[in-house]
Amino acid sequence: MKCSRCGAPAQIALPNHHTGFCPECFNLFFSRQVEKAIRHFRMFSKSDKILVALSGGKDSLALFRELTQQGYDVTGLHIDLNIKNSSCHARAVVEKFCEDLGAPLRIVNVADEGLSIAHIKKAIRRPICSICGKVKRYFFNKVALDEGFNALCTGHNLDDEVGRLLSNTMRWDIAYLSDQGPALPAENGFAAKFRPLYRLTEYETAAYCFFNKIEHNTAICPYSSGASFPVRKELLNTLEHHSPGSKLAFYERFLKQAKPLFEAAEERLGDPISPCTSCGYPTTAGVCNICRLREQLAADLEAQK
């Protein structure tokens, strides 16, 4: 197979685009997909301060490198989750990546904030993945707002987005369906959030890391056993295998035809958002989930004395 752009031997095939590329042309394809996402949703400009959440995984590191290559003013943000035999490795990967790139990095250690994920796992009898996600989003938003960033970016790829869309659709969750998308404006105490990789698959971000020699964390979280998200991804991958391009079509048609309906429904039926009485974070309750979680953990520690 030859590269569809330059005619050199192709090293990656992309059935969803009916094409294949050599490494150099694939990098150009990747860049153009990111550029198209940013331009279409008017995400941000070269004059904006951009905060990129870095987990240490392939997607977030690929996004950070690409935005740097395109000349954006980017700073990394890593949330150290304090998970034994896991978090230390992810943090080391992120620190080395930013050091090699000469890029600024902010680190928040949740243990210092009284929110150790290891402690939460022991003390709270609820699915840990959901709680972990809430903790990370809280600090993403807090750092972005407190330190004057114009945009908060995450490395969610197309597979992440359609997996989440399928999950929300199966539950017909109006609140989540109304705010699902690659671009969310700054409002109600939330920073502007963007997902510039939404047009690229997990396979494509992995290839980008391979071709550009980006070392990333490949370890599976020790708390992720039993998570349902990989099952939904597998279902969608089966569909994509039989009908290449179906994932992107599904997602883009939702954004164009269905999302506006859910936004209107949420505006009519949704609970009003107001600042948390304790920390000021936006919530639909008097006290936000994170402050309530802190109280539960503090009570647990007190009971152990």
Side-chain angles (χ1 to χ4, degrees), residues 50-53 77 140-141 144 150-154 191-195:
I50 303 166
L51 185 67
V52 180
L77 170 63
F140 291 164
N141 195 65
N150 306 102
L152 166 64
C153 291
T154 58
K193 295 186 285 293
F194 303 105
R195 298 175 174 183

Side-chain angles (χ1 to χ4, degrees), residues 235-295:
L235 287 171
L236 289 162
N237 285 338
T238 300
L239 176 62
E240 182 74 14
H241 175 74
H242 292 285
S243 181
S246 57
K247 285 192 284 195
L248 183 58
F250 173 51
Y251 188 64
E252 292 196 318
R253 285 168 187 164
F254 162 77
L255 294 176
K256 182 178 180 180
Q257 299 174 14
K259 180 176 167 64
L261 303 178
F262 288 106
E263 287 176 328
E266 178 64 12
E267 189 173 346
R268 293 194 319 271
L269 306 172
D271 296 323
I273 296 175
S274 59
C276 169
T277 56
S278 178
C279 72
Y281 186 80
T283 180
T284 56
V287 179
C288 74
N289 288 326
I290 301 303
C291 287
R292 290 202 299 270
L293 181 60
R294 278 197 178 103
E295 292 173 1

Side-chain angles (χ1 to χ4, degrees), residues 10 21 39 49 59-60 112 126 143 160 165 206 236 257 265 275 285:
F21 294 112
R39 183 175 62 252
K49 285 181 60 182
D59 304 305
S60 60
D112 295 338
R126 294 203 304 273
V143 174
D160 297 323
L165 177 56
L236 289 162
Q257 299 174 14

Side-chain angles (χ1 to χ4, degrees), residues 186-224:
E187 60 181 3
N188 297 322
F190 290 105
K193 295 186 285 293
F194 303 105
R195 298 175 174 183
L197 297 183
Y198 86 91
R199 296 184 57 83
L200 292 151
T201 65
E202 189 170 4
Y203 171 68
E204 289 159 355
T205 59
Y208 182 87
C209 287
F210 176 77
F211 289 140
N212 293 285
K213 298 180 173 57
I214 299 174
E215 295 183 12
H216 57 278
N217 183 24
T218 58
I220 298 173
C221 175
Y223 296 155
S224 66

